[in-house]
Amino acid sequence: MELRKDPITRSWVITGDDVPDNLPRPEPFCRFCPDSREPPQLITSMSGTPGAPWSARAVVHPNALYHIEGEATRRGDGIYDRMRPVGAHEVLVENPSHDRHLWTASDLEIEQFLLLAAQRIQDLKGDGRFKYVGLYKDHGNSAGQEFEHPTSQLTANTFVPRRVLYELRAAREYFQSKERCVFCDIISQEMKQDLRVIELRGDFVAMCPYAPRVPYESWIMPRTHEAAFERFGLNRPGTMRDLGALLRRTLQRIRTITEEFHLVLHTSPNSLHRSGNLGYWKTIDEDYHWHIEIMPVLASKAKSYTFKEVYYSPLSSETAVKRLRDARIEP
Ligand SMILES: [Zn+2]
Ligand SMILES: [Zn+2]
Ligand SMILES: [Zn+2]
Protein backbone atom coordinates (compact mmCIF):
# COMPACT_ATOMS: atom_id res chain seq x y z
CA MET A 1 0.00 0.00 0.00
CA GLU A 2 1.14 3.56 -0.60
CA LEU A 3 -0.13 7.11 -0.27
CA ARG A 4 -0.84 9.07 -3.45
CA LYS A 5 -1.84 12.70 -3.73
CA ASP A 6 -4.57 13.83 -6.09
CA PRO A 7 -2.89 16.85 -7.75
CA ILE A 8 -6.22 18.60 -8.33
CA THR A 9 -7.90 18.40 -4.92
CA ARG A 10 -4.58 17.95 -3.08
CA SER A 11 -6.05 15.08 -1.03
CA TRP A 12 -4.06 12.02 -0.12
CA VAL A 13 -5.49 8.57 -0.70
CA ILE A 14 -4.15 5.23 0.48
CA THR A 15 -4.15 2.74 -2.36
CA GLY A 16 -2.56 -0.45 -3.66
CA ASP A 17 -3.45 -4.03 -4.46
CA ASP A 18 -4.32 -5.50 -1.14
CA VAL A 19 -7.10 -7.93 -2.00
CA PRO A 20 -6.95 -10.94 0.31
CA ASP A 21 -6.77 -14.29 -1.54
CA ASN A 22 -9.59 -15.74 0.50
CA LEU A 23 -12.04 -13.98 2.74
CA PRO A 24 -10.90 -13.78 6.35
CA ARG A 25 -12.42 -16.57 8.38
CA PRO A 26 -14.73 -15.34 11.11
CA GLU A 27 -12.87 -15.85 14.36
CA PRO A 28 -14.50 -18.15 16.90
CA PHE A 29 -13.43 -15.83 19.73
CA CYS A 30 -13.13 -12.10 20.27
CA ARG A 31 -9.54 -10.91 20.35
CA PHE A 32 -10.44 -7.71 22.22
CA CYS A 33 -12.19 -9.33 25.19
CA PRO A 34 -10.08 -9.54 28.41
CA ASP A 35 -9.85 -13.36 28.15
CA SER A 36 -8.67 -13.30 24.51
CA ARG A 37 -6.41 -16.17 23.49
CA GLU A 38 -4.73 -14.01 20.83
CA PRO A 39 -4.64 -10.54 22.35
CA PRO A 40 -3.40 -7.78 20.05
CA GLN A 41 -0.23 -5.90 20.98
CA LEU A 42 -1.04 -3.69 23.96
CA ILE A 43 -0.07 0.00 23.93
CA THR A 44 -1.70 1.23 27.14
CA SER A 45 -4.61 0.51 29.49
CA MET A 46 -6.73 2.83 31.60
CA SER A 47 -7.14 1.65 35.20
CA GLY A 48 -10.16 -0.49 35.92
CA THR A 49 -13.62 0.58 36.91
CA PRO A 50 -15.05 -1.50 39.80
CA GLY A 51 -14.99 -5.20 38.90
CA ALA A 52 -13.04 -4.80 35.65
CA PRO A 53 -9.32 -5.38 34.98
CA TRP A 54 -9.15 -2.23 32.87
CA SER A 55 -11.70 0.29 31.61
CA ALA A 56 -10.41 1.12 28.12
CA ARG A 57 -7.22 0.27 26.28
CA ALA A 58 -5.23 1.03 23.15
CA VAL A 59 -3.80 -1.80 21.05
CA VAL A 60 -2.02 -1.96 17.70
CA HIS A 61 -4.51 -2.57 14.88
CA PRO A 62 -4.15 -6.25 13.89
CA ASN A 63 -4.20 -5.30 10.17
CA ALA A 64 -2.73 -1.82 10.38
CA LEU A 65 -2.94 0.41 7.30
CA TYR A 66 -0.13 2.60 8.61
CA HIS A 67 3.12 1.46 10.18
CA ILE A 68 5.16 3.31 12.72
CA GLU A 69 8.68 2.55 11.48
CA GLY A 70 10.69 4.70 9.11
CA GLU A 71 10.24 7.93 7.24
CA ALA A 72 7.45 8.73 4.82
CA THR A 73 10.02 9.82 2.18
CA ARG A 74 7.84 11.81 -0.14
CA ARG A 75 8.77 11.16 -3.75
CA GLY A 76 7.85 12.68 -7.08
CA ASP A 77 6.38 10.59 -9.87
CA GLY A 78 6.26 13.03 -12.80
CA ILE A 79 3.71 15.63 -11.71
CA TYR A 80 2.48 13.33 -8.94
CA ASP A 81 3.44 12.86 -5.29
CA ARG A 82 3.57 9.62 -3.37
CA MET A 83 4.83 8.45 0.02
CA ARG A 84 5.08 5.36 2.19
CA PRO A 85 2.17 4.78 4.57
CA VAL A 86 4.13 5.71 7.69
CA GLY A 87 1.90 6.46 10.65
CA ALA A 88 0.16 4.81 13.55
CA HIS A 89 -3.01 2.74 13.43
CA GLU A 90 -4.48 1.80 16.78
CA VAL A 91 -7.69 0.23 18.00
CA LEU A 92 -9.15 1.88 21.08
CA VAL A 93 -11.14 -0.73 22.97
CA GLU A 94 -13.94 1.32 24.48
CA ASN A 95 -14.93 -1.15 27.18
CA PRO A 96 -13.77 -4.58 28.47
CA SER A 97 -17.34 -5.90 28.07
CA HIS A 98 -18.25 -7.20 24.64
CA ASP A 99 -21.70 -5.63 24.80
CA ARG A 100 -21.21 -2.28 26.51
CA HIS A 101 -21.29 0.41 23.89
CA LEU A 102 -20.86 4.18 23.99
CA TRP A 103 -24.66 4.40 24.27
CA THR A 104 -25.07 1.76 26.99
CA ALA A 105 -21.91 2.13 29.12
CA SER A 106 -21.78 4.19 32.31
CA ASP A 107 -20.68 7.82 32.15
CA LEU A 108 -17.55 6.84 34.12
CA GLU A 109 -16.64 4.20 31.52
CA ILE A 110 -17.16 6.60 28.63
CA GLU A 111 -15.10 9.23 30.44
CA GLN A 112 -12.22 6.74 30.75
CA PHE A 113 -12.44 6.00 27.03
CA LEU A 114 -12.38 9.72 26.16
CA LEU A 115 -9.39 10.28 28.45
CA LEU A 116 -7.61 7.36 26.78
CA ALA A 117 -8.26 8.97 23.38
CA ALA A 118 -6.88 12.29 24.65
CA GLN A 119 -3.76 10.58 26.03
CA ARG A 120 -3.10 8.65 22.84
CA ILE A 121 -3.53 11.74 20.65
CA GLN A 122 -1.21 13.77 22.87
CA ASP A 123 1.37 10.99 22.92
CA LEU A 124 1.39 10.55 19.13
CA LYS A 125 1.58 14.32 18.62
CA GLY A 126 4.95 14.10 20.38
CA ASP A 127 6.25 12.49 17.18
CA GLY A 128 7.22 15.30 14.81
CA ARG A 129 6.75 13.08 11.74
CA PHE A 130 2.99 13.13 12.21
CA LYS A 131 0.95 16.07 10.97
CA TYR A 132 -2.40 14.83 12.20
CA VAL A 133 -3.84 12.37 14.72
CA GLY A 134 -7.51 11.56 14.47
CA LEU A 135 -10.12 9.27 15.98
CA TYR A 136 -13.08 7.68 14.25
CA LYS A 137 -15.68 4.99 14.70
CA ASP A 138 -17.75 3.14 12.09
CA HIS A 139 -20.71 1.29 13.50
CA GLY A 140 -22.94 -1.07 11.50
CA ASN A 141 -22.38 -3.14 8.38
CA SER A 142 -23.10 -0.41 5.86
CA ALA A 143 -20.90 1.96 7.87
CA GLY A 144 -17.95 -0.42 7.45
CA GLN A 145 -17.72 -1.70 11.01
CA GLU A 146 -14.62 -3.88 11.34
CA PHE A 147 -14.82 -5.55 14.76
CA GLU A 148 -17.73 -6.79 16.81
CA HIS A 149 -16.24 -5.62 20.10
CA PRO A 150 -16.98 -1.95 20.98
CA THR A 151 -13.99 -0.18 19.47
CA SER A 152 -12.90 3.06 17.83
CA GLN A 153 -9.81 3.56 15.71
CA LEU A 154 -7.06 6.10 15.83
CA THR A 155 -4.63 7.01 13.08
CA ALA A 156 -1.56 9.26 13.08
CA ASN A 157 -0.70 10.48 9.61
CA THR A 158 2.07 12.32 7.80
CA PHE A 159 -0.61 14.41 6.10
CA VAL A 160 -3.78 16.23 7.15
CA PRO A 161 -6.95 14.44 5.99
CA ARG A 162 -8.98 16.25 3.35
CA ARG A 163 -12.01 17.29 5.37
CA VAL A 164 -9.87 18.63 8.22
CA LEU A 165 -7.73 20.52 5.72
CA TYR A 166 -10.86 22.18 4.26
CA GLU A 167 -11.97 23.13 7.76
CA LEU A 168 -8.55 24.51 8.71
CA ARG A 169 -8.33 26.65 5.57
CA ALA A 170 -11.87 27.94 5.95
CA ALA A 171 -11.45 28.65 9.68
CA ARG A 172 -8.25 30.59 9.00
CA GLU A 173 -9.89 32.68 6.26
CA TYR A 174 -12.88 33.47 8.49
CA PHE A 175 -10.52 34.47 11.28
CA GLN A 176 -8.50 36.69 8.96
CA SER A 177 -11.55 38.70 7.98
CA LYS A 178 -13.46 38.71 11.29
CA GLU A 179 -10.85 37.99 13.98
CA ARG A 180 -13.26 35.46 15.46
CA CYS A 181 -13.49 31.67 15.49
CA VAL A 182 -16.13 30.49 13.01
CA PHE A 183 -17.10 27.59 15.29
CA CYS A 184 -17.62 29.94 18.27
CA ASP A 185 -19.77 32.15 16.03
CA ILE A 186 -21.82 29.14 14.91
CA ILE A 187 -22.37 28.06 18.51
CA SER A 188 -23.39 31.53 19.63
CA GLN A 189 -25.92 31.94 16.79
CA GLU A 190 -27.31 28.43 17.29
CA MET A 191 -27.79 29.07 21.02
CA LYS A 192 -29.59 32.33 20.29
CA GLN A 193 -31.83 30.93 17.54
CA ASP A 194 -32.42 27.58 19.25
CA LEU A 195 -33.59 25.97 16.01
CA ARG A 196 -31.00 23.23 15.71
CA VAL A 197 -29.71 22.64 19.25
CA ILE A 198 -30.33 19.09 20.47
CA GLU A 199 -29.05 19.44 24.02
CA LEU A 200 -26.65 21.32 26.30
CA ARG A 201 -24.61 19.50 28.91
CA GLY A 202 -21.94 21.17 31.05
CA ASP A 203 -19.66 23.05 28.69
CA PHE A 204 -20.89 21.12 25.62
CA VAL A 205 -23.55 21.50 22.98
CA ALA A 206 -25.00 18.86 20.65
CA MET A 207 -26.63 20.29 17.53
CA CYS A 208 -27.58 19.56 13.94
CA PRO A 209 -25.55 21.65 11.47
CA TYR A 210 -27.21 24.31 9.31
CA ALA A 211 -26.17 22.52 6.08
CA PRO A 212 -26.28 18.80 6.88
CA ARG A 213 -24.55 16.26 4.64
CA VAL A 214 -26.92 13.48 5.68
CA PRO A 215 -30.22 13.46 7.59
CA TYR A 216 -29.71 13.70 11.36
CA GLU A 217 -26.04 14.72 11.06
CA SER A 218 -25.06 15.87 14.55
CA TRP A 219 -22.10 17.74 15.99
CA ILE A 220 -20.87 17.92 19.58
CA MET A 221 -18.66 20.88 20.47
CA PRO A 222 -17.25 22.56 23.57
CA ARG A 223 -18.90 25.93 24.15
CA THR A 224 -15.65 27.52 25.30
CA HIS A 225 -13.01 27.94 22.68
CA GLU A 226 -10.27 25.30 22.36
CA ALA A 227 -8.52 24.06 19.22
CA ALA A 228 -7.16 20.77 20.62
CA PHE A 229 -9.37 18.03 22.05
CA GLU A 230 -6.53 16.36 23.92
CA ARG A 231 -5.41 19.57 25.63
CA PHE A 232 -8.99 20.29 26.64
CA GLY A 233 -9.59 16.77 27.97
CA LEU A 234 -6.36 16.44 29.92
CA ASN A 235 -6.29 19.99 31.34
CA ARG A 236 -9.86 20.24 32.55
CA PRO A 237 -10.55 17.27 34.81
CA GLY A 238 -14.20 16.37 35.04
CA THR A 239 -15.25 17.83 31.68
CA MET A 240 -14.91 14.48 29.93
CA ARG A 241 -17.66 13.10 32.19
CA ASP A 242 -20.08 15.66 30.75
CA LEU A 243 -18.86 15.00 27.23
CA GLY A 244 -19.29 11.26 27.78
CA ALA A 245 -22.85 11.74 29.01
CA LEU A 246 -23.73 13.99 26.07
CA LEU A 247 -22.16 11.57 23.61
CA ARG A 248 -24.08 8.65 25.14
CA ARG A 249 -27.38 10.56 25.03
CA THR A 250 -26.84 11.84 21.49
CA LEU A 251 -26.04 8.34 20.22
CA GLN A 252 -29.15 7.03 21.99
CA ARG A 253 -31.22 9.65 20.19
CA ILE A 254 -29.69 8.81 16.82
CA ARG A 255 -30.22 5.11 17.45
CA THR A 256 -33.97 5.69 17.65
CA ILE A 257 -33.65 6.56 13.92
CA THR A 258 -30.87 4.21 12.73
CA GLU A 259 -28.32 1.89 14.35
CA GLU A 260 -25.56 2.66 11.88
CA PHE A 261 -23.32 5.71 11.95
CA HIS A 262 -19.89 7.16 11.36
CA LEU A 263 -18.33 9.22 14.12
CA VAL A 264 -15.20 11.33 13.78
CA LEU A 265 -13.28 13.57 16.16
CA HIS A 266 -11.68 16.62 14.57
CA THR A 267 -8.89 18.24 16.55
CA SER A 268 -6.06 20.62 15.63
CA PRO A 269 -3.12 19.20 13.67
CA ASN A 270 0.26 18.60 15.22
CA SER A 271 1.94 21.93 15.97
CA LEU A 272 5.29 20.13 16.38
CA HIS A 273 5.21 19.63 12.64
CA ARG A 274 5.88 23.07 11.20
CA SER A 275 5.05 22.55 7.61
CA GLY A 276 6.38 25.31 5.37
CA ASN A 277 3.71 25.23 2.71
CA LEU A 278 0.69 25.25 5.02
CA GLY A 279 0.15 28.70 6.42
CA TYR A 280 -2.47 27.77 8.98
CA TRP A 281 -0.18 27.15 11.94
CA LYS A 282 0.12 30.74 13.11
CA THR A 283 -3.43 31.40 14.29
CA ILE A 284 -4.57 27.80 14.67
CA ASP A 285 -5.12 27.98 18.43
CA GLU A 286 -7.44 30.93 17.90
CA ASP A 287 -9.22 29.96 14.68
CA TYR A 288 -9.76 26.18 14.96
CA HIS A 289 -12.18 24.55 17.43
CA TRP A 290 -12.29 20.79 18.10
CA HIS A 291 -15.56 18.91 17.64
CA ILE A 292 -17.17 15.53 17.09
CA GLU A 293 -19.21 14.84 13.94
CA ILE A 294 -21.75 12.02 13.79
CA MET A 295 -23.05 10.97 10.39
CA PRO A 296 -25.95 8.51 10.71
CA VAL A 297 -26.29 5.99 7.88
CA LEU A 298 -29.82 5.72 6.51
CA ALA A 299 -29.54 3.03 3.85
CA SER A 300 -32.59 4.08 1.87
CA LYS A 301 -31.39 7.67 1.63
CA ALA A 302 -27.91 6.88 0.33
CA LYS A 303 -28.55 7.98 -3.24
CA SER A 304 -25.49 7.09 -5.25
CA TYR A 305 -24.37 9.88 -7.57
CA THR A 306 -25.93 12.98 -6.06
CA PHE A 307 -24.90 11.81 -2.64
CA LYS A 308 -21.20 11.88 -3.46
CA GLU A 309 -21.08 14.94 -5.74
CA VAL A 310 -23.42 17.28 -3.92
CA TYR A 311 -24.54 16.23 -0.49
CA TYR A 312 -28.27 15.61 -0.56
CA SER A 313 -30.13 15.44 2.71
CA PRO A 314 -33.88 15.01 2.22
CA LEU A 315 -34.60 16.19 5.74
CA SER A 316 -33.84 19.61 7.19
CA SER A 317 -31.89 19.97 10.41
CA GLU A 318 -34.79 21.94 11.92
CA THR A 319 -37.03 18.88 11.47
CA ALA A 320 -34.32 16.40 12.44
CA VAL A 321 -33.62 18.20 15.69
CA LYS A 322 -37.27 17.96 16.75
CA ARG A 323 -37.22 14.18 16.40
CA LEU A 324 -33.87 13.89 18.14
CA ARG A 325 -34.91 16.16 21.01
CA ASP A 326 -38.15 14.26 21.54
CA ALA A 327 -36.55 10.81 21.31
CA ARG A 328 -37.09 8.68 24.42
CA ILE A 329 -33.70 8.03 25.99
CA GLU A 330 -32.29 7.06 29.37
CA PRO A 331 -31.45 9.93 31.75
ZN1 LIG B 1 -15.13 -8.88 22.74
ZN1 LIG C 1 -13.96 28.63 18.87
ZN1 LIG D 1 -15.03 18.70 11.38
Side-chain angles (χ1 to χ4, degrees), residues 41-181:
Q41 190 189 336
L42 178 67
I43 298 166
T44 186
S45 285
M46 300 295 283
S47 57
T49 41
W54 41 270
S55 51
R57 68 193 335 190
V59 299
V60 177
H61 193 295
N63 303 303
L65 279 178
Y66 302 98
H67 299 278
I68 201 95
E69 305 86 21
E71 291 296 325
T73 48
R74 194 153 161 169
R75 283 165 298 142
D77 180 1
I79 63 161
Y80 302 122
D81 275 311
R82 68 208 297 194
M83 58 185 174
R84 293 178 50 228
V86 170
H89 193 175
E90 302 182 0
V91 176
L92 301 193
V93 185
E94 295 157 5
N95 198 294
S97 296
H98 197 75
D99 58 356
R100 283 176 81 77
H101 292 275
L102 293 178
W103 51 94
T104 52
S106 71
D107 291 349
L108 172 65
E109 290 169 320
I110 304 171
E111 177 187 30
Q112 291 296 103
F113 161 70
L114 292 168
L115 287 169
L116 171 72
Q119 283 183 14
R120 291 309 305 138
I121 293 171
Q122 191 180 54
D123 185 49
L124 286 162
K125 276 186 167 178
D127 189 328
R129 294 175 302 165
F130 301 144
K131 275 191 192 164
Y132 188 77
V133 187
L135 174 87
Y136 60 95
K137 175 178 180 67
D138 297 313
H139 186 80
N141 283 338
S142 14
Q145 181 178 348
E146 201 173 356
F147 307 112
E148 231 182 79
H149 198 98
T151 49
S152 298
Q153 298 194 18
L154 183 139
T155 57
N157 295 112
T158 51
F159 59 95
V160 179
R162 182 174 66 163
R163 166 91 187 167
V164 183
L165 201 52
Y166 290 167
E167 290 183 1
L168 289 165
R169 289 182 184 142
R172 186 192 56 204
E173 276 168 31
Y174 188 92
F175 189 82
Q176 278 168 350
S177 65
K178 305 211 179 188
E179 293 192 9
R180 295 195 307 265
C181 159

Side-chain angles (χ1 to χ4, degrees), residues 74-304:
R74 194 153 161 169
R75 283 165 298 142
D77 180 1
I79 63 161
Y80 302 122
D81 275 311
R82 68 208 297 194
M83 58 185 174
R84 293 178 50 228
V86 170
H89 193 175
E90 302 182 0
V91 176
L92 301 193
V93 185
E94 295 157 5
N95 198 294
S97 296
H98 197 75
D99 58 356
R100 283 176 81 77
H101 292 275
L102 293 178
W103 51 94
T104 52
S106 71
D107 291 349
L108 172 65
E109 290 169 320
I110 304 171
E111 177 187 30
Q112 291 296 103
F113 161 70
L114 292 168
L115 287 169
L116 171 72
Q119 283 183 14
R120 291 309 305 138
I121 293 171
Q122 191 180 54
D123 185 49
L124 286 162
K125 276 186 167 178
D127 189 328
R129 294 175 302 165
F130 301 144
K131 275 191 192 164
Y132 188 77
V133 187
L135 174 87
Y136 60 95
K137 175 178 180 67
D138 297 313
H139 186 80
N141 283 338
S142 14
Q145 181 178 348
E146 201 173 356
F147 307 112
E148 231 182 79
H149 198 98
T151 49
S152 298
Q153 298 194 18
L154 183 139
T155 57
N157 295 112
T158 51
F159 59 95
V160 179
R162 182 174 66 163
R163 166 91 187 167
V164 183
L165 201 52
Y166 290 167
E167 290 183 1
L168 289 165
R169 289 182 184 142
R172 186 192 56 204
E173 276 168 31
Y174 188 92
F175 189 82
Q176 278 168 350
S177 65
K178 305 211 179 188
E179 293 192 9
R180 295 195 307 265
C181 159
V182 62
F183 296 92
C184 284
D185 275 7
I186 289 174
I187 293 166
S188 116
Q189 176 162 338
E190 291 298 339
M191 304 269 291
K192 246 179 252 151
Q193 287 189 323
D194 198 23
L195 290 170
R196 287 168 292 269
V197 172
I198 303 169
E199 187 179 355
L200 301 175
R201 182 106 178 189
D203 190 33
F204 301 95
V205 57
M207 54 165 276
C208 293
Y210 183 72
R213 286 168 288 176
V214 295
Y216 303 101
E217 177 174 357
S218 303
W219 295 354
I220 297 178
M221 301 195 264
R223 287 192 281 157
T224 45
H225 180 79
E226 173 58 82
F229 163 77
E230 63 284 0
R231 193 166 51 202
F232 188 101
L234 299 173
N235 290 353
R236 302 192 206 183
T239 51
M240 291 295 104
R241 185 76 64 99
D242 283 331
L243 177 63
L246 187 56
L247 180 60
R248 172 177 61 75
R249 291 168 57 84
T250 306
L251 289 174
Q252 281 180 8
R253 291 179 201 279
I254 287 170
R255 286 175 57 82
T256 64
I257 315 283
T258 172
E259 292 194 355
E260 308 196 320
F261 64 87
H262 304 282
L263 178 153
V264 64
L265 167 73
H266 284 161
T267 182
S268 60
N270 192 3
S271 54
L272 268 188
H273 192 291
R274 299 259 169 210
S275 178
N277 58 357
L278 300 167
Y280 50 68
W281 306 99
K282 267 184 246 142
T283 56
I284 196 158
D285 277 338
E286 292 163 285
D287 67 38
Y288 197 62
H289 192 124
W290 72 265
H291 55 274
I292 293 171
E293 299 176 9
I294 306 167
M295 306 267 283
V297 179
L298 279 77
S300 59
K301 307 285 190 216
K303 299 259 168 53
S304 54

